[in-house]
């Protein structure tokens, strides 16, 4: 199946807290899992990505955790800041065609 | 010469009108993609170009939708006889390497409203 399921739909986190967004996929042919960040009125911007041969990837405050056997991956935002307030999309692909989750609207409360 | 640009940013069309949406990819990028993003949803793939060749148009919702990239750079998405269900943000993305065509850089989108 092509679907990528993302949760939660919306998330409110206090400044300095950890934001966690989860995604699950079905198609075992997927071999690249990016996360995109989208601000209102802007296009999505690539944030961080992982391949299934790695269980975790960290870039600054952003970490992807990947569980190949469970076909799940998640985005963790450490020390969340008000500037992180945006909509986050997970995606998956085995070629050029990105299959997107429905998005998570993240609000960081100061 | 920064990122992907799209024009117009906003377009209001009366039902039945034809519209043309333009995408200027990052200079030198081989791959170009069009997506449709409904309000509160993730983008959905429409079509893919490698240089001037349209390699995949499986996501185009109907034969009213047509895309072209005649010289392998600028692309135009045309929608004929617009319908209300065509209202969405249309995103264009480009990618510089064929082996990394999943690393896509997006423009700001064109918001189309069909009244």
């Amino acid at each position: 199946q092509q679907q990528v399921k993302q949760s939660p739909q919306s998330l409110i986190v206090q400044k300095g807290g950890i934001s966690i967004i989860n995604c699950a996929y079905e198609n075992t042919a997927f071999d690249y899992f990016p996360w995109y960040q989208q601000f209102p009125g802007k296009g999505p911007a690539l944030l961080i990505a992982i391949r299934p041969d790695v269980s975790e990837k960290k870039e600054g405050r952003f970490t992807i955790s990947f569980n190949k056997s469970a076909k799940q991956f998640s985005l963790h935002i450490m020390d969340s800041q008000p500037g992180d307030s945006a909509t986050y999309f997970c995606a998956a692909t085995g070629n050029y065609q990105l299959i997107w989750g429905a998005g998570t609207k993240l609000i960081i409360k100061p | 010469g920064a990122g992907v640009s799209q024009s117009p940013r906003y377009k209001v069309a009366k039902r039945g009108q034809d519209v043309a949406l333009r995408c200027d990819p990052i200079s030198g990028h081989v791959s170009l993609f069009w997506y449709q993003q409904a309000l509160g949803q993730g983008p959905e793939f429409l079509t893919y170009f490698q240089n001037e060749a349209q390699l995949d148009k499986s996501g185009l919702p109907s034969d009213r939708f047509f895309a072209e990239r005649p010289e392998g750079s600028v692309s135009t998405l045309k929608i004929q006889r617009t319908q209300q269900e065509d209202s969405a943000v249309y995103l264009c993305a480009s990618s510089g390497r064929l082996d990394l065509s999943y690393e896509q850089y997006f423009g700001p989108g064109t918001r189309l409203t069909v009244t």
Side-chain angles (χ1 to χ4, degrees):
Chain A
Q1 296 300 323
Q2 291 285 72
Q3 198 173 10
V4 174
K5 295 182 179 178
Q6 183 172 347
S7 63
Q9 190 173 14
S10 61
L11 181 61
I12 300 174
V13 174
Q14 289 292 130
K15 178 183 174 182
I18 303 173
S19 304
I20 302 174
I21 303 170
N22 301 297
C23 285
Y25 65 98
E26 291 292 330
N27 189 341
T28 55
F30 290 151
D31 63 358
Y32 180 79
F33 301 87
W35 285 89
Y36 281 82
Q37 180 189 55
Q38 186 174 29
F39 293 104
K42 305 289 186 183
L46 181 62
L47 193 61
I48 186 173
I50 198 168
R51 289 196 176 275
D53 53 349
V54 175
S55 62
E56 185 175 283
K57 182 175 181 180
K58 184 175 181 179
E59 289 183 4
R61 295 185 295 108
F62 300 90
T63 300
I64 300 179
S65 298
F66 191 87
N67 185 330
K68 188 175 181 178
S69 60
K71 292 189 284 186
Q72 295 175 345
F73 58 110
S74 60
L75 175 69
H76 295 233
I77 306 174
M78 313 300 287
D79 186 26
S80 298
Q81 298 298 310
D84 297 331
S85 297
T87 299
Y88 292 80
F89 293 95
C90 63
T93 184
N95 48 43
Y96 55 81
Q97 189 173 139
L98 290 170
I99 308 300
W100 297 72
T104 296
K105 185 171 183 178
L106 175 64
I107 297 172
I108 306 302
K109 284 197 157 185
Chain B
V4 178
S5 61
Q6 294 186 244
S7 62
R9 291 294 315 278
Y10 304 91
K11 177 70 178 178
V12 179
K14 291 186 176 178
R15 189 164 61 93
Q17 281 185 331
D18 298 348
V19 298
L21 312 180
R22 177 187 170 106
C23 172
D24 282 84
I26 294 172
S27 179
H29 274 197
V30 171
S31 301
L32 185 144
F33 307 83
W34 283 98
Y35 291 86
Q36 182 188 60
Q37 186 175 25
L39 190 64
Q41 298 295 317
E44 290 198 4
F45 171 82
L46 293 178
T47 187
Y48 164 52
F49 289 86
Q50 192 178 108
N51 296 306
E52 69 278 2
Q54 189 176 21
L55 298 188
D56 187 345
K57 54 181 180 179
S58 62
L60 295 176
S62 78
D63 57 8
R64 297 185 295 104
F65 287 71
F66 173 76
E68 60 183 6
R69 195 186 185 198
E71 297 178 357
S73 55
V74 171
S75 177
T76 304
L77 176 67
K78 297 179 180 177
I79 308 173
Q80 297 176 326
R81 304 181 304 281
T82 52
Q83 303 294 315
Q84 284 196 317
E85 62 263 28
D86 300 335
S87 296
V89 174
Y90 290 86
L91 295 165
C92 176
S94 69
S95 178
R97 287 172 53 177
L98 292 179
D99 60 337
L100 293 175
S101 56
Y102 39 74
E103 287 190 0
Q104 300 175 16
Y105 299 87
F106 283 80
T110 294
R111 180 177 296 277
L112 173 65
T113 303
V114 181
T115 60

